[in-house]
Amino acid sequence: PNPSIRATALSTIATVEGLDAYAVPALITGFGDAAPTVRVSAVTGVGKLWLHSPQSVKENGLIDRLYSMLRDVDPTVVTFSLQTLNYLLKDEGGLVMNRKMIVYFLDRIQKYPEREFCCVLQYLDTEVKEDETVLDMFNAFDPVLDSRNGSLVLSVSRLLTSLASKRKNLEPSLVDRLVPVLAKFIKSSNQDFQVDLLEFILSLGAAYMDKFAGLQTSTSRTIVQIKSKDSEKLKLLKVELFRRTARKENSQECLNYLLNHLPSASTKLNNQLISAGAAISSLDPAVHAICVKNLQLLLLTDRQLYLSPVLSCCAAADLRLSTAMTDSSDVVTSLVQTLLDSYQPEQSVSMTGHDDLIAILDVLKSYGFLHKMAPYLLEDIFAVDRTEWSEEVYTAVLAAAFALFKHFPAVMQPIFSHILHQTLKIRNHGLNLKVRTYYNLLQQLARATHDK
């Protein structure tokens, strides 16, 4: 019969439970078939037989025969053999290559097609104990880094960075060799490849990021360009790379570049652009003050669009307002006042407004003293429908109320009293304990004030 029929027959007989006596000799014969497709079916057939008769696979030495198939002349047969062995040995930690196997593949893998080359590389990333073997792998794959094929370069990069992570003495030279190569591929026109590449780059350690940062600051143009045709996922990854590679020397340029991409049709991207810009600006106090001013202008331009992103970066501590208070207290005061004036208490009713509510309560707690209307905003927030409020929200309200009470005692006394009284009515033991704690703190404040 023709090869496709023989391949189908092998696959079928290996799948059917109870036919081990026929399947094993058929698979062994299939290993030596002249057609690669049949040999592939024999290899995968062992995996199918394993599903219902693992003992039969072991007793008939089929695992050893799979190892012998790693020397097959056809790269596809080899890759399927590796995958099947790895599956059969998963309870033992998967396939582990020794030095002999690795050296064997290093001598042949260079002639494999792209897909098979990349597949074999995955199995070379194993617990290599001999330094000599690791150096052999570095020497064998270094020329591939000069290839114009991005998939090959990315696969080799994954392997070499993994090996270097276990041998720190190799990392500095690899960083110098690899980063310029990867930087060239960032500008590739293939978006799917760019996503894979940036996800890999962002998984690398500080040494690699420092090298990318050096390239960024030493050139007049950024190594990453956010394009209108990029997918949302790709844009988000590019923004994150800006965040990771920006340094004090180019923080102003990076901030301007990111803010110039506002507004975006994507809420998620708007959040990321503002968050990354805020984090980058904190590298330089002067740039930080400029960022805070810009965020205030954004709020004044379009409160509905920018309130959530600005609140998010405040909550995530990206903006670091406490740091800016030292050198730019007026700027921080203006932003806080604009933030508090922009918030609509009604939006705290919906579940979608939960994060904004937590963030604004945190702003009230930390910076509410900068705005004389802060107590009244807290009063308005507490006056809305609280049906959907969680214990976390009530806890944040209590913390904000106590902080504001210390700065506006006369105004906050009836407001805080009402909040404590209403919160105590909720049947929640944790909240009740917190209310009593704040009662005690208020009594301590009163005694301290009286003693003065």
Side-chain angles (χ1 to χ4, degrees):
N2 65 45
S4 63
I5 294 177
R6 297 200 300 276
T8 302
L10 277 176
S11 180
T12 303
I13 197 171
T15 304
V16 180
E17 190 172 353
L19 297 181
D20 302 13
Y22 303 98
V24 171
L27 293 173
I28 293 174
T29 301
F31 289 145
D33 198 284
T37 55
V38 178
R39 299 201 298 278
V40 168
S41 284
V43 167
T44 57
V46 176
K48 294 173 182 177
L49 182 62
W50 176 271
L51 290 174
H52 58 82
S53 303
Q55 197 61 36
S56 182
V57 171
K58 294 176 182 178
E59 291 175 353
N60 289 282
L62 294 183
I63 293 179
D64 289 337
R65 289 185 179 271
L66 282 178
Y67 272 107
S68 68
M69 294 304 289
L70 296 179
R71 295 182 175 274
D72 197 282
V73 295
D74 188 273
T76 304
V77 176
V78 174
T79 56
F80 274 100
S81 299
L82 286 169
Q83 291 168 352
T84 305
L85 277 168
N86 193 57
Y87 173 72
L88 268 55
L89 300 172
K90 64 180 180 180
D91 290 340
E92 302 170 28
L95 175 65
V96 177
M97 290 199 184
N98 55 32
R99 173 171 170 77
K100 185 177 180 181
M101 294 170 67
I102 291 173
V103 171
Y104 170 81
F105 278 115
L106 290 181
D107 190 42
R108 288 162 177 76
I109 192 176
Q110 308 287 355
K111 299 177 183 178
Y112 279 15
E114 176 186 321
R115 184 175 63 179
E116 285 75 12
F117 177 93
C118 295
C119 178
V120 174
L121 281 187
Q122 296 177 32
Y123 296 100
L124 291 178
D125 185 8
T126 184
E127 292 296 329
V128 185
K129 297 180 180 179
E130 307 89 353
D131 290 341
E132 182 184 2
T133 304
V134 174
L135 292 176
D136 286 343
M137 294 168 75
F138 267 76
N139 292 330
F141 294 123
D142 182 79
V144 180
L145 296 178
D146 296 320
S147 168
R148 294 184 178 181
N149 187 321
S151 297
L152 295 182
V153 171
L154 181 55
S155 294
V156 169
S157 299
R158 293 184 195 279
L159 173 62
L160 297 184
T161 53
S162 176
L163 293 172
S165 69
K166 301 159 190 168
R167 288 171 172 77
K168 291 300 181 181
N169 61 310
L170 296 176
E171 189 172 79
S173 59
L174 179 61
V175 169
D176 292 339
R177 174 75 170 102
L178 187 59
V179 170
V181 172
L182 296 178
K184 293 178 182 178
F185 280 101
I186 289 177
K187 300 177 182 179
S188 166
S189 59
N190 186 314
Q191 288 199 24
D192 291 337
F193 173 72
Q194 280 193 0
V195 168
D196 291 340
L197 177 63
L198 288 174
E199 286 180 338
F200 166 68
I201 290 173
L202 291 169
S203 72
L204 298 175
Y208 296 92
M209 292 299 109
D210 287 341
K211 186 68 176 180
F212 274 111
L215 290 179
Q216 187 104 303
T217 55
S218 64
T219 58
S220 57
R221 295 188 64 191
T222 59
I223 60 175
V224 180
Q225 296 289 326
I226 301 173
K227 301 176 182 178
S228 58
K229 64 180 180 180
D230 290 342
S231 65
E232 181 188 63
K233 184 175 183 179
L234 181 54
K235 288 178 180 177
L236 291 170
L237 289 169
K238 288 182 175 181
V239 172
E240 184 58 26
L241 187 59
F242 264 99
R243 183 201 294 262
R244 296 277 304 277
T245 58
R247 295 297 182 266
K248 181 178 180 179
E249 310 90 84
N250 67 340
S251 57
Q252 179 68 72
E253 291 79 8
C254 289
L255 173 64
N256 292 341
Y257 185 84
L258 294 176
L259 294 185
N260 282 339
H261 283 81
L262 292 169
S264 162
S266 163
T267 300
K268 194 172 184 180
L269 182 58
N270 284 334
N271 289 350
Q272 187 81 336
L273 287 166
I274 291 176
S275 173
I280 290 170
S281 73
S282 66
L283 298 169
D284 185 324
V287 179
H288 197 190
I290 293 171
C291 178
V292 173
K293 289 180 181 178
N294 281 324
L295 294 186
Q296 183 189 6
L297 290 174
L298 289 175
L299 285 170
L300 293 172
T301 302
D302 193 332
R303 179 198 65 80
Q304 187 173 0
L305 181 62
Y306 294 116
L307 180 61
S308 287
V310 175
L311 282 174
S312 294
C313 71
C314 288
D318 291 322
L319 196 52
R320 301 183 185 180
L321 289 178
S322 59
T323 303
M325 281 292 292
T326 305
D327 302 312
S328 311
S329 58
D330 291 345
V331 175
V332 175
T333 299
S334 296
L335 175 62
V336 169
Q337 290 177 352
T338 304
L339 265 175
L340 299 182
D341 290 340
S342 300
Y343 186 76
Q344 301 292 324
E346 303 80 45
Q347 67 191 74
S348 65
V349 176
S350 67
M351 290 302 290
T352 55
H354 175 271
D355 291 342
D356 286 353
L357 175 58
I358 293 295
I360 201 70
L361 289 171
D362 186 63
V363 171
L364 283 169
K365 180 187 74 173
S366 303
Y367 306 101
F369 66 91
L370 297 173
H371 194 1
K372 63 181 180 180
M373 300 303 291
Y376 302 107
L377 175 59
L378 182 63
E379 183 181 32
D380 290 342
I381 289 174
F382 198 75
V384 302
D385 181 2
R386 301 188 297 276
T387 306
E388 301 293 338
W389 279 21
S390 63
E391 181 179 344
E392 179 189 14
V393 175
Y394 277 102
T395 301
V397 167
L398 290 170
F402 183 71
L404 289 174
F405 180 84
K406 289 188 287 185
H407 296 282
F408 308 101
V411 177
M412 279 300 300
Q413 185 171 352
I415 297 173
F416 199 7
S417 176
H418 176 67
I419 290 173
L420 290 171
H421 182 67
Q422 293 299 317
T423 305
L424 195 59
K425 293 180 179 180
I426 299 172
R427 299 179 65 179
N428 181 302
H429 181 65
L431 274 179
N432 290 343
L433 287 178
K434 289 169 185 173
V435 169
R436 298 184 188 284
T437 299
Y438 281 110
Y439 270 128
N440 293 333
L441 289 173
L442 287 173
Q443 289 175 350
Q444 292 175 19
L445 276 178
R447 284 197 294 269
T449 303
H450 182 267
D451 290 341
K452 289 182 180 179

CSV table of all heavy atoms in Angstrom, one decimal, residues 130-140 170:
chain,number,residue,atom,x,y,z
A,130,GLU,N,28.0,20.2,32.3
A,130,GLU,CA,29.4,20.5,31.9
A,130,GLU,C,29.6,21.9,31.3
A,130,GLU,O,28.8,22.2,30.3
A,130,GLU,CB,29.8,19.4,30.9
A,130,GLU,CG,29.6,18.0,31.4
A,130,GLU,CD,28.3,17.4,31.0
A,130,GLU,OE1,27.4,18.2,30.5
A,130,GLU,OE2,28.0,16.3,31.2
A,131,ASP,N,30.5,22.6,31.8
A,131,ASP,CA,30.8,24.0,31.2
A,131,ASP,C,31.2,23.9,29.8
A,131,ASP,O,30.9,24.7,28.9
A,131,ASP,CB,31.8,24.7,32.0
A,131,ASP,CG,31.3,25.1,33.4
A,131,ASP,OD1,30.1,25.2,33.6
A,131,ASP,OD2,32.2,25.3,34.3
A,132,GLU,N,31.9,22.8,29.5
A,132,GLU,CA,32.4,22.6,28.1
A,132,GLU,C,31.2,22.4,27.1
A,132,GLU,O,31.3,23.0,26.0
A,132,GLU,CB,33.3,21.3,28.1
A,132,GLU,CG,33.9,21.0,26.7
A,132,GLU,CD,34.6,19.7,26.7
A,132,GLU,OE1,34.7,19.0,27.7
A,132,GLU,OE2,35.2,19.4,25.6
A,133,THR,N,30.2,21.8,27.6
A,133,THR,CA,29.0,21.6,26.7
A,133,THR,C,28.3,22.9,26.5
A,133,THR,O,27.9,23.2,25.3
A,133,THR,CB,28.0,20.6,27.3
A,133,THR,OG1,28.7,19.4,27.6
A,133,THR,CG2,26.8,20.3,26.4
A,134,VAL,N,28.2,23.7,27.5
A,134,VAL,CA,27.6,25.0,27.4
A,134,VAL,C,28.4,25.9,26.4
A,134,VAL,O,27.8,26.6,25.5
A,134,VAL,CB,27.5,25.7,28.8
A,134,VAL,CG1,26.9,27.1,28.6
A,134,VAL,CG2,26.5,24.9,29.7
A,135,LEU,N,29.7,25.9,26.5
A,135,LEU,CA,30.5,26.7,25.6
A,135,LEU,C,30.4,26.2,24.2
A,135,LEU,O,30.4,27.0,23.2
A,135,LEU,CB,32.0,26.7,26.1
A,135,LEU,CG,32.3,27.4,27.4
A,135,LEU,CD1,33.7,27.2,27.8
A,135,LEU,CD2,32.0,28.9,27.3
A,136,ASP,N,30.3,24.9,24.0
A,136,ASP,CA,30.1,24.3,22.7
A,136,ASP,C,28.8,24.9,22.1
A,136,ASP,O,28.7,25.2,20.9
A,136,ASP,CB,30.0,22.8,22.7
A,136,ASP,CG,31.4,22.2,23.0
A,136,ASP,OD1,32.4,22.9,22.8
A,136,ASP,OD2,31.5,21.0,23.4
A,137,MET,N,27.7,24.9,22.9
A,137,MET,CA,26.4,25.4,22.4
A,137,MET,C,26.5,26.9,22.1
A,137,MET,O,26.0,27.3,21.1
A,137,MET,CB,25.4,25.2,23.5
A,137,MET,CG,25.1,23.7,23.8
A,137,MET,SD,24.1,23.4,25.2
A,137,MET,CE,22.5,23.8,24.7
A,138,PHE,N,27.2,27.7,22.9
A,138,PHE,CA,27.3,29.1,22.6
A,138,PHE,C,28.1,29.3,21.3
A,138,PHE,O,27.7,30.1,20.5
A,138,PHE,CB,28.1,29.8,23.7
A,138,PHE,CG,27.2,30.4,24.8
A,138,PHE,CD1,26.6,29.6,25.7
A,138,PHE,CD2,27.0,31.8,24.8
A,138,PHE,CE1,25.7,30.2,26.7
A,138,PHE,CE2,26.1,32.3,25.8
A,138,PHE,CZ,25.5,31.5,26.7
A,139,ASN,N,29.2,28.6,21.1
A,139,ASN,CA,30.0,28.7,19.9
A,139,ASN,C,29.2,28.2,18.6
A,139,ASN,O,29.3,28.8,17.6
A,139,ASN,CB,31.3,27.9,20.0
A,139,ASN,CG,32.2,28.5,21.0
A,139,ASN,OD1,32.2,29.7,21.2
A,139,ASN,ND2,33.0,27.7,21.7
A,140,ALA,N,28.4,27.2,18.8
A,140,ALA,CA,27.6,26.6,17.7
A,140,ALA,C,26.5,27.6,17.2
A,140,ALA,O,26.2,27.7,16.0
A,140,ALA,CB,27.1,25.3,18.0
A,170,LEU,N,28.9,34.1,32.1
A,170,LEU,CA,28.6,34.2,30.6
A,170,LEU,C,27.7,35.4,30.3
A,170,LEU,O,27.6,35.8,29.1
A,170,LEU,CB,28.1,32.9,30.1
A,170,LEU,CG,28.9,31.7,30.2
A,170,LEU,CD1,28.2,30.4,29.8
A,170,LEU,CD2,30.2,31.8,29.4
